[in-house]
Amino acid sequence: MSYEVIMRRPFVAGNWKMFKTAAEARILLSELLPGLSSIKEVEIVLCPPFTTILPVASLLEGTAIGVGAQNMHWEKEGAFTGEVAPPMLAEFCKYVILGHSERRAYFGETDDNVNRKVKAALTHGLVPIMCVGETLTENEAGITREVVITQTKKGLSGVDSASIASVVIAYEPVWAIGTGRAATAEGANNVIAGMIRSWLSQNYGDDIAQQVRILYGGSVKASNAAEFFQFPEIDGALVGGASLKAAEFIPIVKAAAR
Ligand code: PEP
């Protein structure tokens, strides 16, 4: 083990899912910005739907808040109707959420697709926020470790040591997403530290594993965020529903600025 203390900058991303028109996004930003712009300790990212990326990016110009997409194709261009390519996103975004459980469950996203997308994101200078997490059935069957490690391993296949520190991993147990039933902070920490970071450490070495930000996601709210962030291995949060409400999202980001 390396005992060098590596400071990972806390990271909080808001996944707006399929919510907010451009006009609605403007209103939300007018509520978010006064509270968020003074928080410098946390890397803050907003991930609106594709159509709202450009207006959100324009409104965030001059702030330290980043913009991300919620998905993308892995090819740089081509006859893929309805898809969006990495260079198109890279014009306006620095981040992209990949392998979200809603994409896996409703749109047939596989570990292989996630892996292609992660590598494409890195190639095009985007920071992938790669989501992994077990379903309730898998959790109850006691196979969380196998599921999470398999998704991590397959998602990162072929990602070399020089690039891995640019990847952000979000541990999002599927049963906690949008349900109001968050994992316990201790349970999330067990998976993040004991499974994901430990796998990274075995495969990339301790020093590199210590540089990777690993987030928790699943019903994070203003009222429970601090419980997660008290664990130093939990580097922040991927926030869905609560990122659409300034009164929830601002305190979550503040809690991450520990
Ligand atoms: C998410 O969409 O990634 C998520 C964690 O959603 P929620 O916070 O609503 O559970």
Side-chain angles (χ1 to χ4, degrees), residues 2 4-11 43 127-128 160-169 196-198 200-201 204-215 232-233 235:
S2 160
E4 190 187 348
V5 178
I6 294 172
M7 294 296 289
R8 294 180 298 267
R9 188 168 178 224
F11 188 107
E43 194 163 333
V127 173
D160 62 19
S161 307
S163 309
I164 191 74
S166 309
V167 178
V168 175
I169 300 175
I196 302 174
R197 202 176 305 283
S198 138
L200 288 170
S201 182
Y204 290 93
D206 285 333
D207 289 348
I208 289 176
Q210 287 302 321
Q211 295 171 37
V212 178
R213 265 92 57 91
I214 311 179
L215 319 178
E233 291 285 347
D235 299 314

Side-chain angles (χ1 to χ4, degrees), residues 53 60 84 88 111 132 137 164 186 196 212:
I53 286 174
L60 291 179
V84 176
M88 297 168 185
D111 289 327
V132 298
T137 316
I164 191 74
E186 200 181 357
I196 302 174
V212 178

Side-chain angles (χ1 to χ4, degrees), residues 174-257:
V174 180
W175 46 271
I177 297 181
T179 58
R181 180 190 162 195
T184 62
E186 200 181 357
N189 186 59
N190 287 343
V191 175
I192 287 172
M195 300 181 197
I196 302 174
R197 202 176 305 283
S198 138
W199 182 88
L200 288 170
S201 182
Q202 282 156 25
N203 288 275
Y204 290 93
D206 285 333
D207 289 348
I208 289 176
Q210 287 302 321
Q211 295 171 37
V212 178
R213 265 92 57 91
I214 311 179
L215 319 178
Y216 167 73
S219 297
V220 174
K221 307 179 271 234
S223 58
N224 65 11
E227 286 169 39
F228 292 99
F229 304 148
Q230 75 184 318
F231 286 92
E233 291 285 347
I234 303 182
D235 299 314
L238 179 54
V239 185
S243 71
L244 297 165
K245 296 179 200 132
E248 287 286 323
F249 194 63
I250 295 166
I252 293 172
V253 177
K254 283 187 175 154

